[in-house]
Structures are given as structure tokens and as C-alpha cells.
Amino acid sequence: MTRVQLSRRHFVASSAAALGGFSLGFHVPFHAKAAADAAPAGIPEINAWVVIHPDETVVVRVARSEMGQGTLTGLAQLVAEELECDWGNVTTEYPTPGQNIARDRVWGSFSTGGSRGIRDSHDYVRRGGAVAREMLIAAAAAEWGVPAAECQVDKGVISHPGSGRTTTYGKVAQAATTMSPPAEVQLKDPKDWKIAGQPLPRLDTRDKLTGKQVYGADLVMPSMVNAAIKACPYFGGRIASFDAQAVTGMPGVQRVIQVDDTAVAVVAATWWQARTALDALPITWDEGPNRDVSSASIQVMLEEGLDAPDAFIGTEAGDARAALAGATRTVSAVYAFPYQNHATMEPMNATAVWTPERCEVWVPTQNGESSLAVAAEAAELPVGQCEVHKIHLGGGFGRRGNFQDYVRQVVRIARELPGTPVKLLWTREEDMLHGAYHPTTRCKLTASLGPDGQVDALHMRISGQSILASVRPEGMVGGKDPVVFQGLTADNPEGSFGYTVPNLLIDHAMRNPPVPPGFWRGVNLNQNAIYVECFIDELAHAAGIEPLAFRRRLMANHPRHLAVLEAAANGIGWSEPPPAGRHRGLAQIMGFGSYVAAAAEVSVTGGQLRIHRIVAATDPGHVVNPAQVERQVEGSFVYGLSAALFGECTVSGGRMEQENFDSYQVMLMDSMPAVETIIMPSGGFWGGVGEPTIAVAAPAVLNAIFAATGKRIRTLPLKNHDLA
Amino acid sequence: MVRLTINGATRDVDVDPETPLLWVLREQLGMTGTKYGCGVALCGACTVHVDGVATRSCVLPVSALTPEQAIVTIEGLSPDGSHPVQQAWLELDVPQCGYCQPGMIMAAAGLLAGNPNPTDDDISAEITNICRCGTYNRVRAAIKLAAADSDATQNG
């Protein structure tokens, strides 16, 4: 249906063949042969995760992408913890996707999304560190002729107390590369951690303060040319015609190249020249089949789904329909959440060199293996003749994971210029018009209220767009998109519903407008938390019960959900009245494996909202770096509140209307509340932290706005409402 | 040929004079610390100093500049990252992805140059750069720390 979907399907097909699929489980070959066969000669690689140089520098290889979330630092802490090296000697590097394939996917998944960086790889990266430690100790023991069990290690210094001898990791690293890895290693109990669990500064800060950090957009190569591109802004449309002659004489212009049937690029000596010529290029679009699609038509489509008979059931207990039909008192409300753009600060970009024998791509990507698969397909070369070099991301938020449309484009352009490096950089306008948009949904909630305020039945009907149906159809289950129900399913370690309602029905009427959807930081947890937590607040108000007490009655079977909610409430001083003129709201949810809650304090004066403070509580099970968790909580609030306050992509005439930050407003410093973060790891599980707290910021604020004004805001963003 | 004074050095650049300063910095001079974010002076990723004033370079054609005007970029704010704003940023570990941070730092340095002890309202009014990772609270704290450190230096 759309360009994005087409390339995605090709990617799935080619990646499944080339990369052996994306199964989560995989074998980590620590045995010496795999390492010795594959490691480049001369590099003191102890195993795939650890390289130690004679000067004691410890290079930790990190497969996940750093996009601001701190995963380079956190994953390195886990490796270093088991390695028992000196943290001050640690640096990191990315292995390439091509190396991963050549080495039997020794680094596992490169996918960086779903708050999975640490929670999905903590076990094998710690094993990587522990195995390397044992090999280093074995090398020292062999040199000394003593049993390895008699040796100790502390901060990269190996000692043998019996003989008083000491050496260092750097000195034995080369010898350690030939040691047999132990068959088994015992991982430390997190309570014994010294490096992991500490609020260490990030490893990648310094270059970000001086302009030295290189992002994809900054890449420069000898003889490189620059490309600017316009793809058809109409969803499902294509190029009708363009007049290359009109710009061929403009300064610096080298080529005007059609890319597939949807886009046209200008290649010039500099990007500014390319962009200037592209703006002057006459292009006529074939608007395609969706020119009558608008936000209004999409609303009609979704509203029909609110009461439609066809729906996929996500969660069910008892008989909610019957209970509601027989109820003496019901409460009902309809909520809506609009399309959002990721709007990473660094627009989409990639650089490629193509020859008939080889294709290399340099790209800020959340999934280097996706980039490689798309590059190989676009290059029409075997994967083994292609390579991807990951570059630091200027923001990702989901846009740079599954969607590698810019990689396809740059490779198709580079094919027209064999041997010449081509850098493609999107304009902000291109970035806004060709998003992988946070999908739009509406939700109708109906509940019964008993005489004592108990909730006997709840029906939550979601109507709207499935991400998986478009992006990853192989993830559908019998036609159902399980991701729609994030945070709403029973007993799901990924995100379980935190209330016990005897008659519960949560279902989804799938309505897919012709707008490409994507995973957007927090994904469906964002709006699901708004729907549930604002409606629970409505029920509490209807029952005449204070919102925290009302929730407690429904949460007896959900102690971890309740614990974070209580912590956030305590943190804001819920049991005491707020300062004069201020009002409070609460929200909680579980998602991405973590329990999260927020308490917001706002004032509304003359219709002007001010969010004074938000207290956030998070239980992610284990915490690898509390300082980075704090930053993720604060940052997620900016992302979530930007959407709640301002964010809205509207469709008119089959295309998006917003093209830059003037019409797609985001939160600035002046509307940022104070954030107090409570981290309360209860152990026993590993949850993510990059996304879950996004979801509670908006409902906590919306509930506080109700407390302040008596107005229920059920349709976002807030900028469209008068709070006066 | 356009003559500019950038980070204390005179640079003669063979470029269309209507080219924005941002792109002259990035493409003619290879100084890529100054970023492209929106191209319409809304996001602030392209902020540099012109005669000490924080200025968005993506909409500033070099034809509007004279050789006498002192342009300072993130690469020239200090020789070694030792500007009080950079030091405060390091101490509070402010950046996340970091893409907006050169612009943030230049905006903050510009603010402090004219207002050594800004209030919260001053900071909110003057720092209008966009950060999508959400570093705003740490940016605010780092500006205050830089202001306090500068005070201490001047007093001590």
C-alpha cells in the first residue's frame, strides 16, 4: 500500500533468509574456536565482547545502538562488572552487522527498541564478561604454574596470594586469547555489584560538549557528493513527472535521479546546493488513491469501530457485556489520540558507496541488521558483499528501527554513481511528511458502578490502527495485533493490567487508515495509559471516592502496580492538601516489563496550564545505572508531554499537513515541570526504562487538570482545548 | 569570495553569498559541530555567536555578515572544552543523544554572557532550543551551575 510497507516486506523476506530470522533465543559461541577463527589477527580479543590492549584499555563491544538512552554505558557496566576490570579503562565500540553474520550472530540482536537493550541482553553480556575474566585469570595462572583457583582479581590486577605475584589484564591479554573458555560461569548476585548498579557518568559525554561527536549527518568522505530528496507526500502516491532540465545548470548540481517510482533526488557538490536545486525542481505528483483521506474521514472510520461487532479480544474475564446490560448504573466516555511524528533532532540520513561488487552504508540506525538487509536488497547484491557501519544517532525513538527507507534511497542513488560516496540528508520537511507515525486510535470505555463504588464490569473498546498489520504482519496472531493491548493484558510480564474487575472485556476493532504507522517511543502504552487512567479517575469521581483510595480497592491483587502508585502519591504528598491554587492527579501502568506511576501537580490560571512538578516511581526489577534511569524518566516525560500538550499530525487531501516545528509544536524549556524520580527496584525481573514512564505523564497531568478545572480532556492534544 | 572571522581566524570562502552561515560552516569549512535541525530558526541546533550574541545560523546568509563580525562556533567556544558552560554540562552529564547540545551550549553561553545570574524565568524565556530526548531540567541546572561557578571564579 505504501512505500514504507513495501520495503519492509522485502526486508522481512531478505532478512529471514540472510540472517536466519530474528529469533530472540540464540547460541552465544564462547568456545575458543569461534573466537579464534573469526577475530582479526593481532587484536587481543578475549571473546566477542571484550578486547584488552597492552596499555590496559578495555574495549567492550556493544551491539545495541546508542541514541541517547545510555545503553553504551549501561551494557558496558554489566560486562565490566563480571570482567572485574578497572572502570576507568573502559571504552566501547560497535561490531558491524556484517561481522555479526560472519560470526554466527555472536552478538545476538542489534535491534535497539522496546526498552530492550539491557533487559534482553543482560544475561549474555554478563556471561561474556565473566568468561573473559576466567580466561584472563587462566592465562596468568598458566604463566605462573599455579592453579587458577588460587588467583584473585581486582580492577584488572590479577594476584596469586600464595606466591605474592601480580600481573595485569593488559599483560596477559594476548595469552588469554588462546585459553579455553570455561564451560560454565557463575554470574554475580546483583547485591554484590560494584560497577553495575552505580550512578556512573556516561562514557560518551565529552565529545558531545565540543562538537566533536560525529553523527550521520556530519559524515564527510573523500570525493563525497550530497543528495537531497523529495518523495511523494501523498500516501500511496507516486511521481507523475519532473523537469530535470530546469535545474541541471544550477551551481554544483551533478545529477537528478528518480528513486523508485516515488521520489526524486538532486545530487550536488554540497547539500545546500542540492537542496536549493531540489526546491527549484518542478515535480508533479500522482496523488494516488488516498486523496480524499483526511483527519475527519479517519475519525469517522474509527468512530464506526467503537460499537462495531468485529473485534479482537485482548483481555477477558467474566461476562462484561452481560454485566453492563444488567447494571443499574454505568459510566461511559470516549477518548482519542492523534498521529504523532518522532521528530528526531537529526533528520533521517545515510551515506553509501556502491560498486557492482560491494555496497557499504554508514547510517545512524536502531537496527544495523535491518539496515544491512535493506542495503543488500537495494544494492541487488548478496548480504555477504554488503556492510553497514553504525554511527551515533541524533535521536531514534523508534523511527530508525524497522524503517530503513532512507537506506534504500541512498543505495538506489549510489547505484547511479558507482564508486562515489553519496550522503543523503532529509530536510525537516521531508522528515515530517514521511514519518512512521504513532498510530491513531479512539477508545470507548463503559463501566458499571455498584452502590459502594465497586466496579463490577468494564468494557474497553479500542478502535484504530494496528502497527503490526502494516509493519510486521508475521507478528499478528490469528489476525489480532497483540501490541495494541500493551499494558492491558492479564499476567503478562511485558505489561499487565493493574486492576481486578470481575467482568472485564478489552477488545480492538482494527481500523487501518492508509497512513504508515510505526513504533514511537512508548508505542501503544502511551494512549492505553491515558484511556485507562483517566477513565479510572472518572469512575472515582462518579463514585465520590478519592482517586487513590478508589484505585487501591481494585489493586489488591497487583502489589507491584500498587507499590509504585503509593510511592508516587507519597512523593507528592497526596495525603496532605496541595498548596493553594495547585491540583493533583495520579496514574499508573505497567509496560516494557516495568511498573511505573506518576503524580502530577498543576495549576490552571486564566486558562493557562502550568505543570509544576511530577513525581515518578519506577520498579524495573534491577537497576544498572540509576543516574541514567533518572534521565530516561525525565526525558520520557518531555516526549510524552510534548504529545499530550502539542503533538498532532493531521491529514488533509491524503497527506500530512505539518512540515516543521512551527505547526508540529514540541515541548520547550518553559513548560517543563520539575521531575522527582523514585527508583524502587524490587528484584527478580528485568524491566526496561527508556519508555514506560512516558505513558503515565499525560494521564497524571490530565487528571490534575480535571481536579483544577472540572474539565475532562478526552481528545488530545491539549492545545486544542480551552481550559478557561 | 566571502570573508568571515570565525573562532578568531580570518576565513575566505568561495561560496554563493546567499548560502546560510550554517552550511558554510558545515560544508565549506568542515566544522560540523553546528547542527541542522529545522532550517527555519525554530529549533536552535544551529546556534552560534555573532559578536557575542547567540544567533541561529540556518537562516543567516553569509552576505549579511562582515569580516569585522566575530563568529564563534561550538568548536571555538573554548580550546579544550573548558568553558564554564561546558564544564557544568560535563559535571551534570547533561547530554543524551547530544545532537541539540552544541546549540544548547552556545545559547546558554550567550545568555550568561549578557546575564551572569539568570533567573528561572530568564532561562525559560531565553533558551528556546528544542531537545527531543528531554534534557531540559539538566540544561537548566547546568546553566545555574555555570553561573555559580563563574561567580566563584570572579569572587575568588
Side-chain angles (χ1 to χ4, degrees):
Chain A
M1 183 166 51
T2 71
R3 173 175 53 82
V4 173
Q5 289 170 313
L6 182 67
S7 70
R8 173 64 201 172
R9 273 196 206 99
H10 285 208
F11 156 63
V12 169
S14 55
S15 68
L19 309 177
F22 280 99
S23 59
L24 286 174
F26 69 99
H27 172 62
V28 180
F30 285 130
H31 56 90
K33 188 170 178 301
D37 283 354
I43 293 179
E45 176 187 298
I46 315 302
N47 62 23
W49 307 98
V50 177
V51 174
I52 300 181
H53 292 284
D55 68 355
E56 307 296 339
T57 300
V58 175
V59 181
V60 175
R61 301 234 180 89
V62 177
R64 313 282 179 167
S65 300
E66 178 59 56
M67 49 188 171
Q69 82 280 39
T71 207
L72 277 185
T73 305
L75 287 169
Q77 281 178 268
L78 287 172
V79 174
E81 179 64 55
E82 294 291 343
L83 182 61
E84 294 281 3
C85 64
D86 185 338
W87 178 250
N89 292 332
V90 171
T91 64
T92 60
E93 71 177 20
Y94 289 137
T96 68
Q99 289 164 350
N100 202 32
I101 292 170
R103 296 180 63 170
D104 196 19
R105 294 194 82 213
V106 63
W107 289 285
S109 174
F110 277 42
S111 174
T112 313
S115 300
R116 295 186 177 281
I118 281 174
R119 67 190 175 111
D120 274 7
S121 49
H122 64 88
D123 186 75
Y124 58 78
V125 303
R126 286 189 292 157
R127 285 184 194 285
V131 166
R133 178 195 68 223
E134 294 303 311
M135 292 166 71
L136 288 154
I137 292 172
E143 187 185 316
W144 295 334
V146 302
E150 291 180 7
C151 297
Q152 301 172 350
V153 61
D154 180 44
K155 293 186 177 170
V157 177
I158 305 167
S159 59
H160 181 246
S163 64
R165 279 180 287 200
T166 65
T167 188
T168 65
Y169 276 1
K171 289 180 182 138
V172 298
Q174 197 63 51
T177 63
T178 64
M179 293 287 133
S180 294
E184 284 185 23
V185 288
Q186 181 73 37
L187 298 182
K188 292 182 184 178
D189 188 316
K191 71 176 167 40
D192 298 325
W193 283 350
K194 294 171 290 190
I195 297 171
Q198 298 303 310
L200 301 178
R202 299 172 62 111
L203 293 170
D204 56 347
T205 293
R206 206 170 279 270
D207 282 353
K208 293 175 179 172
L209 309 179
T210 58
K212 283 184 187 155
Q213 177 73 56
V214 174
Y215 298 85
D218 302 332
L219 207 65
V220 177
M221 294 182 156
S223 76
M224 186 180 85
V225 295
N226 288 272
I229 197 164
K230 274 187 187 173
C232 182
Y234 299 92
F235 299 120
R238 59 184 63 204
I239 289 175
S241 65
F242 59 91
D243 180 9
Q245 289 298 317
V247 300
T248 44
M250 289 182 70
V253 171
Q254 298 178 5
R255 293 282 298 275
V256 179
I257 295 171
Q258 181 168 337
V259 180
D260 296 328
D261 60 357
T262 53
V264 58
V266 173
V267 177
T270 69
W271 188 79
W272 181 252
Q273 291 169 331
R275 190 219 163 128
T276 303
L278 184 65
D279 283 345
L281 179 69
I283 307 172
T284 306
W285 303 114
D286 170 352
E287 297 174 5
N290 298 312
R291 54 186 300 168
D292 294 332
V293 174
S294 66
S295 289
S297 75
I298 292 170
Q299 179 173 340
V300 169
M301 183 184 188
L302 267 55
E303 282 177 343
E304 181 275 329
L306 291 176
D307 296 306
D310 61 306
F312 298 102
I313 295 173
T315 310
E316 192 171 27
D319 187 340
R321 288 183 192 279
L324 287 169
T328 52
R329 185 187 181 196
T330 61
V331 177
S332 189
V334 174
Y335 285 78
F337 193 84
Y339 285 114
Q340 304 285 343
N341 191 297
H342 296 82
T344 61
M345 288 311 297
E346 180 194 25
M348 299 302 112
N349 67 84
T351 300
V353 183
W354 184 91
T355 68
E357 295 78 35
R358 186 160 175 81
C359 179
E360 288 191 66
V361 174
W362 291 258
V363 58
T365 174
Q366 289 177 244
N367 190 340
E369 291 186 319
S370 290
S371 304
L372 180 59
V374 169
E377 183 209 339
E380 296 178 28
L381 288 170
V383 170
Q385 288 169 238
C386 302
E387 182 61 290
V388 164
H389 307 275
K390 300 202 302 177
I391 310 180
H392 206 91
L393 287 75
F397 314 123
R399 180 62 181 86
R400 291 182 154 115
N402 285 272
F403 306 94
Q404 300 290 325
D405 35 355
Y406 40 92
V407 169
R408 177 174 176 84
Q409 289 173 346
V410 75
V411 171
R412 299 305 282 187
I413 297 165
R415 276 169 53 100
E416 303 295 319
L417 300 156
T420 300
V422 179
K423 179 165 76 179
L424 170 69
L425 171 65
W426 286 13
T427 60
R428 174 60 57 190
E429 290 77 11
E430 192 70 3
D431 202 281
M432 289 297 303
L433 291 171
H434 298 282
Y437 301 93
H438 185 300
T440 183
T441 61
R442 303 177 88 81
C443 183
K444 181 175 184 179
L445 303 104
T446 309
S448 69
L449 268 184
D452 300 326
Q454 74 269 27
V455 181
D456 294 322
L458 170 64
H459 180 200
M460 176 173 180
R461 162 59 65 87
I462 300 165
S463 172
Q465 196 158 8
S466 158
I467 303 173
L468 289 196
S470 166
V471 171
R472 196 189 293 158
E474 71 277 16
M476 306 285 277
V477 181
K480 177 169 86 174
D481 175 354
V483 179
V484 163
F485 301 101
Q486 273 187 311
L488 305 177
T489 43
D491 302 324
N492 185 334
E494 180 72 19
S496 65
F497 194 59
Y499 300 110
T500 301
V501 178
N503 298 289
L504 177 66
L505 176 61
I506 304 176
D507 56 7
H508 173 220
M510 191 181 296
R511 296 292 182 272
N512 293 329
V515 173
F519 300 102
W520 186 98
R521 189 180 187 179
V523 195
N524 292 312
L525 199 68
N526 292 308
Q527 73 274 13
N528 288 347
I530 291 169
Y531 301 158
V532 171
E533 287 303 295
C534 290
F535 188 66
I536 289 283
D537 210 70
E538 294 203 44
L539 293 177
H541 181 71
I545 301 172
E546 173 278 304
L548 177 59
F550 186 81
R551 284 180 172 81
R552 277 192 194 118
R553 294 151 54 120
L554 301 169
M555 296 178 76
N557 299 327
H558 307 277
R560 280 182 162 137
H561 292 80
L562 183 58
V564 291
L565 180 65
E566 299 275 12
N570 286 339
I572 208 149
W574 190 264
S575 59
E576 302 294 324
R582 295 199 189 181
H583 303 271
R584 291 172 179 160
L586 294 174
Q588 66 82 23
I589 200 148
M590 184 201 177
F592 304 94
S594 292
Y595 302 82
V596 295
E601 193 170 283
V602 312
S603 60
V604 180
T605 309
Q608 279 295 107
L609 170 69
R610 183 158 173 215
I611 309 168
H612 296 273
R613 51 189 289 243
I614 302 184
V615 178
T618 285
D619 177 2
H622 294 291
V623 172
V624 175
N625 187 322
Q628 301 313 322
V629 175
E630 273 186 32
R631 284 160 176 77
Q632 287 305 295
V633 171
E634 286 180 16
S636 76
F637 282 2
V638 175
Y639 215 67
L641 290 173
S642 281
L645 298 178
F646 309 111
E648 175 182 42
C649 294
T650 53
V651 181
S652 178
R655 52 171 281 172
M656 284 302 176
E657 294 187 287
Q658 290 71 24
E659 296 192 41
N660 211 313
F661 291 117
D662 52 348
S663 49
Y664 190 71
Q665 286 176 264
V666 298
M667 184 188 250
L668 299 177
M669 185 94 86
D670 62 353
S671 39
M672 182 68 192
V675 176
E676 299 151 53
T677 304
I678 300 166
I679 304 169
M680 40 191 292
S682 58
F685 64 99
W686 292 75
V689 297
E691 292 168 276
T693 44
I694 274 191
V696 285
V701 166
L702 291 169
N703 290 337
I705 289 171
F706 173 78
T709 65
K711 294 191 177 190
R712 285 288 176 196
I713 307 300
R714 301 189 182 96
T715 305
L716 294 174
L718 269 163
K719 69 170 182 176
N720 296 338
H721 297 271
D722 181 4
L723 296 181
Chain B
M1 195 69 76
V2 176
R3 175 163 289 190
L4 300 169
T5 303
I6 300 175
N7 299 331
T10 300
R11 308 293 295 259
D12 290 317
V13 188
D14 185 11
V15 69
D16 175 352
E18 292 313 301
T19 307
L21 174 62
L22 169 66
W23 295 102
V24 172
L25 292 171
R26 290 180 58 82
E27 301 201 292
Q28 270 75 30
L29 299 173
M31 300 164 74
T32 57
T34 307
K35 304 302 185 196
Y36 166 68
C38 69
V40 289
L42 288 170
C43 79
C46 65
T47 304
V48 300
H49 293 174
V50 178
D51 287 338
V53 177
T55 303
R56 295 188 175 181
S57 64
C58 70
V59 292
L60 179 65
V62 289
S63 61
L65 292 160
T66 67
E68 290 72 36
Q69 287 180 289
I71 299 159
V72 175
T73 71
I74 186 70
E75 291 91 349
L77 184 63
S78 67
D80 51 3
S82 61
H83 186 280
V85 170
Q86 290 167 311
Q87 287 297 300
W89 247 249
L90 181 65
E91 189 169 336
L92 298 185
D93 215 8
V94 172
Q96 290 189 25
C97 90
Y99 191 82
C100 73
Q101 297 292 321
M104 281 279 187
I105 289 169
M106 295 308 286
L111 168 64
L112 290 173
N115 181 355
N117 287 293
T119 64
D120 276 328
D121 286 346
D122 293 339
I123 294 171
S124 292
E126 294 297 322
I127 307 297
T128 55
N129 301 43
I130 295 174
C131 171
R132 293 288 281 156
C133 295
T135 61
Y136 294 130
N137 285 350
R138 280 163 212 278
V139 166
R140 183 183 296 278
I143 291 171
K144 291 178 177 176
L145 179 62
D149 285 352
S150 297
D151 271 3
T153 306
Q154 283 157 16
N155 293 340

